[in-house]
């Protein structure tokens, strides 16, 4: 697979950052995007919802299910179980990810942290091989472990970005990472599409469920295998504080990470514009992540589309997102990342309105809308990541990306909660989808209010030439 991606990485070397190192960084996006695409976006929502419906007493293959399950004695509609799990995983990451970031900043060895988080998440994903029958609780626990580990690994991974290029280079580097990630996720999804088409049997919903489970397992294997490349090629760039502690004998990295996080929380008010940007990102990206996470559940349960249609559409999104991330990265070089992200949020609002009006059992309009999503998806996320790197005080990349990751890949919170609550009250996925509009409207307004150049200078950084 490496030969497929390497030609896309063609850029001059920078002091302290080699082409080989940046290629290794790109490859972690290639590795973990399998989880985001195959698991979160396509298979897990319908799979775990079906397993939950079986536990609620519904028949396998039924068009609708009004049953409920009772985890810990709490009544939960079967269709709301998965969205609630997503919200629970994000609630837990609020306590985990900032600590992971602080530990990464105080450690001289980030790569072992990346390895531990990535392999834990990949192992939990592979363990979905045991989620059979009505084992919805096992599926929920494994998802929580995998999703939290996924976020923890990305925090460490993102903290390498400021060390790979200067202010004028990070938009391009981040966009390449996202683009290559979408390409990698698309390759595995294509392989799963072939498997589903060859092995599925008409009128056999159990076979479809089994294929979904093994597709989830394949993402864990892919994630673990390709993580070996960044672990080999990335170099350690310890922060000044970590290097000074190492020379002085150092202290326990974990406990010192907690102390550092406490100091950061006390001093974070010194960077109000960074916080304001982070608030805007948490809101609008929560909407983006909710659309990504629940799209397959919406297509299956509301639009009554076949699994093959969903996979083809997501595959289309993946490969268009590869080009879209690079295209919006190029646009950012002309008009700036801030304005490009604002433009993408306007387009996302149009996507939600169009998705609400989609007819049921009509694959073509769904695919066209998926193509539109692909064109704006990668760029809006990649440029948000690089823009935030300009707002982080030097030496605190891990900590700040710990807060950032609370609403990054697969870890949306309020969106799934709103979607789940609206569905439980109305039994309508369409109404639940419309509730997501508020995230894009409010996020746009907050981001537009950030004086971005002043925010970068206030963080002690040099602004790029074009903002």
């Amino acid at each position: 697979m490496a030969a497929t991606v390497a030609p896309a990485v063609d850029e001059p070397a920078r002091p302290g950052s080699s082409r080989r190192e940046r290629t290794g960084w790109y490859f972690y996006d290639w590795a973990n995007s399998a989880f985001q695409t195959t698991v979160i976006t396509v298979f897990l929502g319908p799979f775990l919802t079906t397993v939950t419906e079986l536990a609620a007493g519904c028949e396998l293959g039924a068009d609708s299910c009004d049953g409920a399950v009772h985890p810990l004695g709490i009544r939960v509609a079967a269709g709301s179980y998965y969205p609630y799990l997503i919200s629970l995983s994000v609630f837990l990451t609020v306590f985990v990810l900032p600590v992971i970031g602080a530990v990464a900043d105080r450690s001289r060895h980030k790569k072992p942290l990346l390895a531990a988080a990535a392999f834990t998440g990949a192992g939990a994903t592979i363990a979905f091989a045991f989620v059979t029958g009505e084992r919805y609780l096992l599926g929920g626990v494994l998802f929580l472990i995998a999703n939290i580990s996924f976020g923890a690994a990305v925090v460490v991974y993102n903290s390498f970005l400021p060390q790979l290029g200067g202010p004028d280079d990070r938009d391009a580097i981040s966009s390449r990472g996202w683009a290559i990630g979408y390409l990698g996720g698309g390759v595995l999804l294509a392989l799963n599409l072939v498997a589903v088409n060859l092995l599925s049997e008409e009128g056999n919903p159990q076979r479809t469920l089994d294929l979904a489970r093994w597709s989830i397992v394949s993402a864990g294997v892919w994630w673990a295998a390709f993580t070996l490349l960044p672990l080999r090629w990335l170099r350690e760039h310890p922060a000044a504080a970590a290097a000074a502690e190492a020379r002085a004998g150092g202290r326990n990295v974990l406990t010192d990470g907690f102390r550092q996080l406490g100091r950061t929380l006390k001093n974070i008010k010194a960077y109000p514009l960074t916080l304001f940007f982070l608030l805007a990102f948490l809101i609008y990206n929560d909407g983006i992540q909710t659309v990504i996470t629940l799209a397959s559940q919406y297509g299956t349960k509301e639009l009554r589309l076949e699994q093959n249609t969903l996979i083809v559409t997501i595959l289309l999104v993946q490969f268009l997102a590869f080009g879209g991330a690079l295209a919006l990265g190029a646009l950012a070089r002309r008009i700036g990342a801030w304005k490009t992200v604002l433009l993408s949020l306007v387009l996302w609002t149009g996507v939600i309105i169009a998705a609400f009006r989609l007819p049921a059992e009509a694959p073509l309009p769904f695919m066209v809308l998926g193509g539109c999503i692909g064109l704006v998806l990668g760029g809006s996320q990649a440029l948000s990541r690089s823009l935030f790197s300009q707002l982080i005080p030097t030496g605190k990349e891990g900590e700040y990306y710990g807060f950032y990751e609370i609403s990054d890949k697969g870890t949306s919170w309020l969106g799934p909660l709103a979607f789940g609550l609206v569905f439980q009250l109305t039994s309508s996925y369409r109404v639940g989808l419309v509730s997501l509009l508020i995230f894009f409207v409010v996020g746009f307004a907050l981001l537009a209010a950030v004086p971005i150049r002043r925010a970068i200078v206030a963080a002690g950084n040099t602004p790029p030439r074009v903002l």
Side-chain angles (χ1 to χ4, degrees), residues 216-273:
I216 292 170
V217 171
S218 74
V221 174
W222 178 286
W223 184 3
F226 282 105
T227 294
L228 297 174
L229 293 175
L231 292 178
R232 181 176 177 83
W233 292 343
L234 277 172
R235 294 194 301 112
E236 300 286 3
H237 293 269
E245 281 189 13
R247 290 191 295 269
R251 292 180 295 191
N252 183 281
V253 173
L254 180 60
T255 57
D256 201 55
F258 275 101
R259 293 190 190 98
Q260 178 60 35
L261 178 61
R263 289 193 291 268
T264 297
L265 289 174
K266 290 179 181 178
N267 298 329
I268 201 169
K269 60 184 179 181
Y271 305 101
L273 297 179

Side-chain angles (χ1 to χ4, degrees), residues 47-56 68-74 76 78 81-82 85 128 130-143:
F47 171 78
L48 198 52
T49 299
T50 299
V51 172
T52 307
E53 289 174 348
L54 290 174
V69 291
H70 298 81
L72 303 178
I74 303 172
V76 176
Y81 179 67
Y82 179 55
L85 272 178
F128 265 88
F130 302 103
V131 181
T132 57
E134 301 176 2
R135 297 177 178 174
Y136 77 99
L137 283 176
L138 175 61
V141 171
L142 290 175
F143 166 72

Side-chain angles (χ1 to χ4, degrees), residues 26-96:
Y26 299 148
F27 256 104
Y28 187 70
D29 245 322
W30 170 280
N32 76 357
S33 289
F35 177 81
Q36 174 68 17
T37 304
T38 292
V39 179
I40 299 295
T41 306
V42 177
F43 287 104
L44 186 59
F47 171 78
L48 198 52
T49 299
T50 299
V51 172
T52 307
E53 289 174 348
L54 290 174
C58 303
E59 293 185 8
L60 183 61
D63 290 336
S64 61
C65 173
D66 295 327
V69 291
H70 298 81
L72 303 178
I74 303 172
R75 185 185 185 281
V76 176
S80 295
Y81 179 67
Y82 179 55
Y84 286 164
L85 272 178
I86 298 171
S87 294
L88 177 59
S89 74
V90 176
F91 175 77
L92 296 175
T93 62
V94 169
F95 303 98
V96 174

Side-chain angles (χ1 to χ4, degrees), residues 151-394:
V154 173
V155 168
V156 181
Y157 163 72
N158 281 343
S159 70
F160 282 92
L161 175 58
Q163 300 151 0
L164 297 176
D168 294 309
D169 302 313
R170 291 179 201 163
D171 290 341
I173 292 172
S174 184
S175 295
R176 287 190 189 98
W178 276 100
I180 290 173
Y182 278 113
L183 186 61
V187 169
L188 180 63
L189 189 58
L191 295 175
N192 284 319
L193 173 61
V194 171
V196 168
N197 282 333
L198 291 178
L199 301 177
S200 61
E201 296 177 357
E202 187 175 354
N204 187 349
Q206 183 61 54
R207 173 62 69 87
T208 301
L209 192 64
D210 290 339
L211 289 171
R213 182 172 66 254
W214 289 112
S215 295
I216 292 170
V217 171
S218 74
V221 174
W222 178 286
W223 184 3
F226 282 105
T227 294
L228 297 174
L229 293 175
L231 292 178
R232 181 176 177 83
W233 292 343
L234 277 172
R235 294 194 301 112
E236 300 286 3
H237 293 269
E245 281 189 13
R247 290 191 295 269
R251 292 180 295 191
N252 183 281
V253 173
L254 180 60
T255 57
D256 201 55
F258 275 101
R259 293 190 190 98
Q260 178 60 35
L261 178 61
R263 289 193 291 268
T264 297
L265 289 174
K266 290 179 181 178
N267 298 329
I268 201 169
K269 60 184 179 181
Y271 305 101
L273 297 179
T274 298
L275 282 176
F276 200 70
F277 174 89
L278 186 60
L279 175 62
F281 172 79
L282 292 177
I283 292 174
Y284 73 72
N285 197 58
D286 208 290
I288 293 174
Q289 294 301 321
T290 305
V291 173
I292 297 170
T293 304
L294 300 177
S296 115
Q297 186 179 8
Y298 180 74
T300 301
K301 301 300 180 181
E302 180 66 31
L303 303 182
R304 301 188 296 279
L305 298 173
E306 297 291 332
Q307 187 72 42
N308 285 354
T309 298
L310 298 177
I311 296 175
V312 170
T313 302
I314 300 301
L315 191 60
L316 178 67
V317 169
Q318 290 299 117
F319 289 112
L320 284 177
F322 171 76
L326 296 177
L328 286 186
L331 179 62
R333 286 196 294 271
R334 297 179 62 88
I335 68 172
W338 179 62
K339 293 175 185 175
T340 305
V341 173
L342 286 171
L343 174 62
S344 75
L345 295 182
V346 175
L347 299 177
W348 272 110
T349 302
V351 163
I352 296 296
I353 295 172
F356 173 77
R357 300 176 61 86
L358 284 178
E361 301 179 357
L364 184 58
F366 186 78
M367 291 181 182
V368 171
L369 184 62
C372 295
I373 290 175
L375 292 175
V376 299
L377 177 59
S380 58
Q381 295 174 315
L383 295 174
S384 295
R385 177 172 65 181
S386 59
L387 193 56
F388 186 65
S389 74
Q390 314 276 3
L391 304 175
I392 301 174
T394 301

